[in-house]
Amino acid sequence: DRLNDLLAEHGYDIERFLRFYQRLAYAVIEPATPPHVRLSTTVALEHMTATLAEVALTTGVLENAHPEVRRLLFWHAAEEIEHRSVAFDVLSRVDPRMRTRVVGLGMASAILALFWSTALLMLLRDERELAVGVDDARAGRHFAREVKKAGPIVGRALAAYLRRDFHPEAGLAQEL
């Protein structure tokens, strides 16, 4: 909340995105989706966020972030890894079918792509209006190089998720 407030203080219209997100997620998607599919979507999203946490903690992707933002994101990454198996364990009891897990992965992927691309476009629009830009082109190139390192990590995580014997505790981030 404090980060959102800080972004809003700097001219970013965070509330516009949050209104869009809440309306679509809670007024459209949730009522139209059966509970077991919502749970399997949560399982897939938790696996994705634990994977992104691994990326944050094992690559230099956050190296040029503001120190306070970096500290917040490192804390959040650790928190994501810490609870990565809770939803999976519930789904395993409620509906252990592989088909349910794969449907959740499809839903999670589509939802994440929609929300992230929408947030990115809204933030970029705000930056243009605020005349904010990256002062150091090297920082942008560094970020792009580090993001490329995420490809193999994400690929391994997706392949692991699609194995019948998958469990998040045996995931790639376990040794972190």
Side-chain angles (χ1 to χ4, degrees), residues 23-60:
R23 186 172 49 250
L24 185 58
Y26 301 116
V28 177
I29 296 171
E30 187 173 316
T33 308
H36 71 287
V37 174
R38 289 196 311 261
L39 178 56
S40 68
T41 302
T42 298
V43 168
L45 288 169
E46 290 295 341
H47 183 60
M48 290 176 185
T49 56
T51 300
L52 293 175
E54 179 183 354
V55 169
L57 294 170
T58 62
T59 71

Side-chain angles (χ1 to χ4, degrees), residues 93-115:
R93 298 228 180 215
V94 172
D95 188 343
R97 296 175 297 174
M98 184 67 173
R99 176 179 71 203
T100 301
R101 192 168 5 136
V102 170
V103 167
L105 179 62
M107 286 274 298
S109 299
I111 289 168
L112 204 54
L114 172 66
F115 287 140

Side-chain angles (χ1 to χ4, degrees), residues 1 4 36 46 130-131 137 160 168 176:
D1 289 342
N4 286 347
H36 71 287
E46 290 295 341
L130 296 168
L176 297 175

Side-chain angles (χ1 to χ4, degrees), residues 22-155:
Q22 290 167 349
R23 186 172 49 250
L24 185 58
Y26 301 116
V28 177
I29 296 171
E30 187 173 316
T33 308
H36 71 287
V37 174
R38 289 196 311 261
L39 178 56
S40 68
T41 302
T42 298
V43 168
L45 288 169
E46 290 295 341
H47 183 60
M48 290 176 185
T49 56
T51 300
L52 293 175
E54 179 183 354
V55 169
L57 294 170
T58 62
T59 71
V61 73
L62 298 176
E63 189 174 294
N64 291 316
H66 184 281
E68 284 298 307
V69 172
R70 185 174 49 247
R71 189 172 66 81
L72 171 68
L73 293 175
F74 281 165
W75 171 85
H76 188 69
E79 185 267 338
E80 287 298 332
I81 289 171
E82 180 181 54
H83 75 259
R84 68 185 177 262
S85 63
V86 174
F88 183 88
D89 290 342
V90 173
L91 181 65
S92 294
R93 298 228 180 215
V94 172
D95 188 343
R97 296 175 297 174
M98 184 67 173
R99 176 179 71 203
T100 301
R101 192 168 5 136
V102 170
V103 167
L105 179 62
M107 286 274 298
S109 299
I111 289 168
L112 204 54
L114 172 66
F115 287 140
W116 277 2
S117 60
T118 301
L120 176 64
L121 291 173
M122 287 180 171
L123 289 170
L124 289 173
R125 190 188 112 207
D126 288 347
E127 282 202 358
R128 271 195 312 276
E129 291 176 4
L130 296 168
V132 174
V134 176
D135 293 331
D136 184 359
R138 287 179 294 145
R141 287 192 301 272
H142 171 78
F143 180 78
R145 278 193 309 275
E146 293 300 321
V147 165
K148 286 181 184 178
K149 293 178 184 177
I153 296 169
V154 172

Side-chain angles (χ1 to χ4, degrees), residues 3-14 126-127 130 132:
L3 179 61
N4 286 347
D5 291 344
L6 182 62
L7 289 169
E9 287 174 23
H10 283 84
Y12 292 94
D13 191 356
I14 301 302
D126 288 347
E127 282 202 358
L130 296 168
V132 174

